[in-house]
Amino acid sequence: MEGIIFDYKHFSVNDGPGIRLTVFLKGCPLRCKWCHNPESFSCAIETWNQTDHLDGQSFLRNIQVGQQVDIESLMKVVMADSLFFSKSGGGVTFSGGEPMMQPEFLVEALKECIKQGIHTCVDTSGFAKTGQFRSVLKYTDLVLFDLKVMDSTIHKQITGVDNYLILNNLSVAVQNKVPVRIRIPLIPDITDTPSNLEAILEFIKPLDSIQGIDLLPYHSMSKSKHAKLNIDFAMEGVENYPIDKANKIADYFRKWFSDVTVGG
Amino acid sequence: MRTRIDTLRTQSLETRYSISDERAMLMTEYYKSIEGKQISVPVARAESFRYLMSRKKIYIGDQELIVGERGPEPKATPTYPEVSLHSIEDLEILHNRSKVSFSSTEQVRQNYATIITPFWEGKTVRDHIFSNMTPQWLDAYNAGVFTEFQEQRAPGHTVAGTKIWHMGMADLKKHISVVRNRLNASLNSNNTEKLEELDAMEIVADTIIMYANRHADELQRQLSVENDSIRQGELEKMMAICRRVPENAPETFHEALQHYWFIHVGVITELNPWDSFNPGRLDQHLFPFWKREIEQGSLTVEDSKELLEAFWIKFNNHPSPPKIGVTAKESNTYTVFSLINLGGLTPDGHDAVNDLTFLLLDVIEEMRILQPSSMVQISEKNPDLFILRALKIAKTGFGQPSFFNTDTIIQQLERQGKTTVDARNGGCSGCVETGAFGTERYILTGYFNLNKILELTLHNGVDAPTGKTIGLQTGKLTDFETFEDFYTAFERQLHYFIDIKIVGNNFIEKQWATSMPAPFLSLIIDDCIENAQDYNAGGARYNTSYIQGVGLGSIANNFASIKKYLFDDKSVTKENLLLALASNFDGHEALRHRFIYETPKWGNNDNEADQHAVAVFNSFFNAVDNRETALGGRFRINMLPTTSHVYFGSKLGAMPDGRKAKMPLSEGISPVQGTDIYGPTSVILSAAKIDHIRTGGTLLNQKFNPSFFANEKNMRNLTALIRSYFAMNGHHIQFNVVEAETLRKAKLNPENYRDLIVRVAGYSDYFNDLTQELQDEIIRRTEHETV
């Protein structure tokens, strides 16, 4: 069984508890305008051009984005960091892209981690077939579940997909009593409108396996990635999200949830 | 911070560093007075100490609570002309240079020219050393293969143990007398030298008692003219203390601090055992005094804190004596490397963290001064709270305290043959150097430039920058068929130069043993009295001489390039590599780009690079470890650079990792600056591949963006990061918590950043006091952050 992975982040401290290894699976059905990882859109292995400046000259390098990895190789990377996981209460987080785009590989990888006693997180948009989502939940200790926009029309406009499946899958996770953290990307005038934040709060209030909320303020670091991939950057000119505004939104959610972070 | 402390601290920080000729003049007077007289070397040393301590100016500053200065006043720094003689030009350079300067008056320079220099010229330890080194040694030394510590400073590098906290000089004299009686009663007639050494020890014990009483006399004088009743009370109390200690064992907390301080001044005045003499496990030593008095109600926590802070300021008043010549570049700093150890284990192996540990951490945070430096010893048995408290100080960005692994330190010491209890009483001093406190003479003998050995191997024994043949002719690069053959040639060069270094060391050790004993230090370190043998002659229970390997990260990357391009894929010809290096990559930029961007690098948990660090480490270990020293001790290795990675880099041409000529090397066992791209866990996984247990210390530096320390969750993750590294036997890790941007601004506008402190390599320093090369090197280090 092989999957396509486009990056690993070691010493990842914002994608779940403790020190984690975040494994980024390639491929995503969504096209969020603010996406930080546009190299994850396509399921295929790509190359991008990197220009290095050295000694007054420029050098071009072709960098391969994505590699085919089998479970055994993946587990070598995972196990190398296992001492950090056990000392910190951390583990592995599967992110993307949308990790559910490679459901069989994801389930196999999760199973193997659980077998090794490693804590697992899945960072998902929730956009997946419910049957596949259920099978992933079985091996997931904590779901990091993105909620962007509650209005289905707007959701479709800004991500390219409807949110019906997403909201349904969130309910499935809760019904199965799998711990969930809600992650809300703070995108100015898109996700951070009072009506949207209120709608999110109203939706998640009654859900009883929600452990907490992470607000993820927008930052513009992905601009250069878009350029390298020749993808239009829809967020041109949008500044990094103001931290005090994010803190105010956090306070808003704290009225209902004790564990609210800015940044995860 | 109380007003008194604030005032004393400000005074200490603002007083200019200066050269005092008081010691040099008195020593000259004394040695002139015994010319032509029959007097044994140790007794002459002891008598010169008495001559000095009975005549030197007594300084007691307004509002001081702990007294005793090495010079005539704070920051007035003596010289040691019997060891190494500053030239008039040296004094002028020190006076005029913009960084790490020491002012000197016309009078001082005149005394040097007319009295001090004429007497000592040709007679110093340094003169004897250089005139007795072989041409091979001198070639290697001049090419920057290694440095030599003992050419202008005494073998020191030791730390006081438990003995002095429950024994006064009177008790030590009793011990001397017991040993003397035993020697006199024995039938062995060859005891003369031992008896002379005991006589010397007794003289210096009496001398320090006399020195304390001179302070008591001065306090009495000040009392007689003091009008303030509160200060009168303090002076009276201090006077009583100076009459009691160090003659008798201390009984109160205040006495304990003053007792230690007199001993400290004694050690650093007798000779310049640079670096780092210090009280070591201070929270352990002081705790019984502190607890008893707090419980009895004779001391409040606030008063004890004030005393500790007054004690801290005394360290800051005493910069390291300025060096001369090549060692100035090697380690150019005011820092003396006195390293206070906190935490760790008790002698019976339990968690040693106590209430005083935390109070001392408060003191460190509040004082925020470079000296003394501080570290926390962390055992598996110490609580997380201890690490978190220390991290909260590290977070403030002055590089203290640094983090050490007690469990590894103990294993290192046990491997070297120390008893478990002696090992548990040990710790680290200087930058990261392991020692059994109070029982071991452990000295650094010199930094060793591993990359120079590689450069010499690449060039068949020729020192590339100078064109001079100084090494073995191990073969032309173009003739090597396999990487293994090339590595074998490297090992031959390594052994050749280690042998040269060790032969030199052995001469130098004997030179110190016979010409420059240290009877005062010998009182303090067991078993010098019992053995009736000087510290510098091997009298300590354990005797260790370290050679410090420098540039592990750089050499791993160099070998990775050589193996990959010259021997594995053969995509670079050997001729072409030599051309590229000779031209400093001019016209070979594309090659340099490949070396930098497309070659495995140490610090990324990539075995393609890491295997070479492990191999070089093992070769270095095998060349040095367990060889016998001239005094019957053992040679060991540790991996630290202080600032020699800059000096050694300046002596090297371009290298196959893409480093240009003269640029600094990597420091400690850290990755080459800016090449660790997978974060601190990968750095740690690489660093843990070498066997730290077989060293006497390794140094790992990690730079973090301050934003990372901003939340509690990250602090807990850092605690886990430290715990993980230590579970892998990592020896030490330290954090630079500063934005690269801040450093860049500070370099441009130093006047706005006068208080900016950074971690260098095993010690902290003011950013403004660092050389430009070192400033740039720190800026280039990879900064870990979280996005």
Side-chain angles (χ1 to χ4, degrees), chain A residues 69-223:
Chain A
V69 176
D70 60 21
I71 296 288
E72 199 186 334
S73 319
L74 169 65
M75 289 311 291
K76 267 190 193 155
V77 180
V78 169
M79 294 314 290
D81 284 357
S82 61
L83 187 61
F84 300 106
F85 306 153
S86 66
K87 291 281 175 190
S88 67
V92 177
T93 298
F94 291 92
S95 182
E98 170 49 62
M100 302 274 183
M101 286 283 274
Q102 302 182 42
E104 292 87 8
F105 180 74
L106 178 60
V107 167
E108 282 308 305
L110 287 167
K111 268 190 194 170
E112 199 53 39
C113 288
I114 297 284
K115 200 166 114 189
Q116 299 287 349
I118 290 170
H119 179 273
T120 58
C121 283
V122 173
D123 179 14
T124 178
S125 69
F127 191 82
K129 288 182 185 158
T130 300
Q132 287 169 349
F133 190 72
R134 277 181 204 280
S135 54
V136 166
L137 285 179
K138 263 194 237 171
Y139 306 102
T140 304
D141 293 316
L142 174 68
V143 180
L144 307 175
F145 201 107
D146 269 31
L147 279 186
K148 301 173 179 93
V149 172
M150 296 306 284
D151 182 291
S152 62
T153 318
I154 302 175
H155 193 275
K156 185 146 192 175
Q157 276 170 16
I158 54 138
T159 68
V161 303
D162 195 278
N163 65 356
Y164 169 75
L165 204 51
I166 293 172
L167 299 178
N168 186 50
N169 281 339
L170 177 56
S171 307
V172 169
V174 171
Q175 281 155 19
N176 283 278
K177 302 200 183 327
V178 180
V180 174
R181 290 190 75 88
I182 300 295
R183 314 190 110 195
I184 308 170
L186 295 179
I187 314 300
D189 305 325
I190 299 177
T191 65
D192 73 340
T193 62
S195 60
N196 187 48
L197 295 172
E198 192 187 343
I200 292 176
L201 181 62
E202 289 308 314
F203 187 84
I204 62 176
K205 251 194 224 172
L207 307 180
D208 59 6
S209 71
I210 307 270
Q211 283 201 332
I213 297 170
D214 301 322
L215 302 173
L216 309 177
Y218 171 77
H219 57 82
S220 59
M221 63 171 277
S222 71
K223 186 178 171 181

Side-chain angles (χ1 to χ4, degrees), chain B residues 617-684:
Chain B
F617 172 85
N618 287 332
S619 299
F620 181 51
F621 174 85
N622 290 331
V624 175
D625 186 73
N626 216 32
R627 292 178 69 170
E628 193 165 355
T629 71
L631 304 180
R634 298 287 164 176
F635 282 101
R636 309 285 181 196
I637 63 163
N638 42 27
M639 307 298 286
L640 69 128
T642 311
T643 61
S644 67
H645 58 298
V646 176
Y647 165 66
F648 280 162
S650 77
K651 297 294 240 179
L652 278 165
M655 292 294 272
D657 64 344
R659 179 193 144 283
K660 288 197 161 185
K662 296 190 168 32
M663 294 297 286
L665 297 163
S666 62
E667 49 78 28
I669 58 166
S670 311
V672 171
Q673 300 75 6
T675 59
D676 45 327
I677 56 176
Y678 295 115
T681 51
S682 300
V683 173
I684 280 172

Side-chain angles (χ1 to χ4, degrees), chain B residues 493-783:
Chain B
Q493 293 284 4
L494 176 68
H495 280 266
Y496 174 73
F497 284 103
I498 290 289
D499 286 351
I500 291 174
K501 175 69 179 150
I502 283 180
V503 169
N505 281 351
N506 286 344
F507 175 86
I508 293 165
E509 279 196 0
K510 278 189 205 148
Q511 176 70 30
W512 278 97
T514 52
S515 73
M516 207 53 69
F520 189 78
L521 183 56
S522 305
L523 287 173
I524 311 306
I525 303 299
D526 285 332
D527 302 310
C528 294
I529 298 177
E530 187 61 26
N531 294 334
Q533 198 172 16
D534 195 83
Y535 178 88
N536 285 352
R541 188 173 307 162
Y542 309 108
N543 290 278
T544 306
S545 297
Y546 282 111
I547 299 176
Q548 302 93 249
V550 175
L552 190 70
S554 295
I555 200 165
N557 296 354
N558 281 320
F559 271 123
S561 279
I562 290 169
K563 181 166 188 293
K564 181 175 156 107
Y565 301 115
L566 300 193
F567 295 100
D568 288 355
D569 68 19
K570 297 190 169 65
S571 61
V572 179
T573 65
K574 291 157 190 150
E575 291 84 356
N576 203 22
L577 175 74
L578 293 175
L579 280 174
L581 298 182
S583 66
N584 200 19
F585 293 108
D586 196 7
H588 300 266
E589 289 79 9
L591 193 60
R592 179 162 185 253
H593 176 258
R594 279 176 74 192
F595 288 164
I596 292 176
Y597 285 98
E598 295 178 6
T599 315
K601 304 287 182 196
W602 164 252
N604 296 297
N605 191 28
D606 178 350
N607 263 335
E608 291 303 311
D610 298 354
Q611 60 175 328
H612 301 296
V614 174
V616 171
F617 172 85
N618 287 332
S619 299
F620 181 51
F621 174 85
N622 290 331
V624 175
D625 186 73
N626 216 32
R627 292 178 69 170
E628 193 165 355
T629 71
L631 304 180
R634 298 287 164 176
F635 282 101
R636 309 285 181 196
I637 63 163
N638 42 27
M639 307 298 286
L640 69 128
T642 311
T643 61
S644 67
H645 58 298
V646 176
Y647 165 66
F648 280 162
S650 77
K651 297 294 240 179
L652 278 165
M655 292 294 272
D657 64 344
R659 179 193 144 283
K660 288 197 161 185
K662 296 190 168 32
M663 294 297 286
L665 297 163
S666 62
E667 49 78 28
I669 58 166
S670 311
V672 171
Q673 300 75 6
T675 59
D676 45 327
I677 56 176
Y678 295 115
T681 51
S682 300
V683 173
I684 280 172
L685 287 168
S686 288
K689 285 177 190 171
I690 61 166
D691 184 359
H692 297 241
I693 304 289
R694 289 188 290 159
T695 72
T698 63
L699 188 152
L700 180 63
N701 227 317
Q702 291 281 276
K703 192 160 92 179
F704 275 84
N705 189 290
S707 66
F708 189 84
F709 282 68
N711 78 52
E712 287 289 326
K713 185 184 163 195
N714 284 350
M715 298 290 260
R716 284 198 301 277
N717 284 332
L718 276 175
T719 303
L721 189 76
I722 295 168
R723 293 273 196 206
S724 305
Y725 185 45
F726 288 1
M728 301 174 205
N729 295 331
H731 173 81
H732 150 277
I733 186 166
Q734 66 193 26
F735 302 103
N736 240 327
V737 187
V738 61
E739 283 184 68
E741 190 51 36
T742 308
L743 300 178
R744 278 186 213 105
K745 285 184 190 157
K747 204 186 145 197
L748 285 177
N749 304 99
E751 67 281 10
N752 299 336
Y753 294 88
R754 287 179 54 206
D755 59 347
L756 180 64
I757 298 174
V758 292
R759 195 77 186 167
V760 183
Y763 72 103
S764 295
D765 214 335
Y766 285 103
F767 190 70
N768 282 352
D769 281 340
L770 304 178
T771 60
Q772 193 190 318
E773 292 89 340
L774 202 50
Q775 289 181 338
D776 291 338
E777 186 266 308
I778 292 172
I779 291 170
R780 280 198 306 276
R781 291 178 192 170
T782 308
E783 179 175 297

Side-chain angles (χ1 to χ4, degrees), chain B residues 67 164-174 205-206 208-217 219 235-263 289 292-293:
Chain B
V67 297
I164 58 164
W165 302 91
H166 56 86
M167 286 179 100
M169 292 295 147
D171 302 304
L172 299 180
K173 281 170 66 183
K174 273 183 211 149
D206 282 331
I208 206 73
I209 296 168
M210 171 270 291
Y211 178 66
N213 277 300
R214 289 187 66 209
H215 285 80
D217 296 343
L219 286 160
L235 290 170
E236 217 158 330
K237 192 175 172 193
M238 289 158 68
M239 188 174 72
I241 290 171
C242 293
R243 299 258 182 245
R244 260 194 50 76
V245 296
E247 181 170 12
N248 305 289
E251 283 174 2
T252 67
F253 186 72
H254 194 161
E255 278 181 5
L257 290 170
Q258 183 63 63
H259 175 75
Y260 173 78
W261 188 252
F262 279 133
I263 289 171
F289 298 99
R292 188 167 59 233
E293 281 203 81

Side-chain angles (χ1 to χ4, degrees), chain B residues 320-377:
Chain B
S320 64
K323 289 187 276 182
I324 48 182
V326 71
T327 31
K329 274 193 186 168
E330 198 189 301
S331 179
N332 200 5
T333 175
Y334 293 123
T335 309
V336 287
F337 299 89
S338 283
L339 186 62
I340 304 286
N341 285 227
L342 300 177
L345 294 178
T346 61
D348 51 0
H350 300 300
D351 172 18
V353 172
N354 59 44
D355 290 346
L356 186 59
T357 313
F358 286 96
L359 183 69
L360 280 158
L361 286 166
D362 292 344
V363 167
I364 290 161
E365 184 168 37
E366 197 164 285
M367 294 310 284
R368 201 180 167 83
I369 46 180
L370 296 184
Q371 305 190 99
S373 188
S374 57
M375 65 91 119
V376 288
Q377 277 199 31

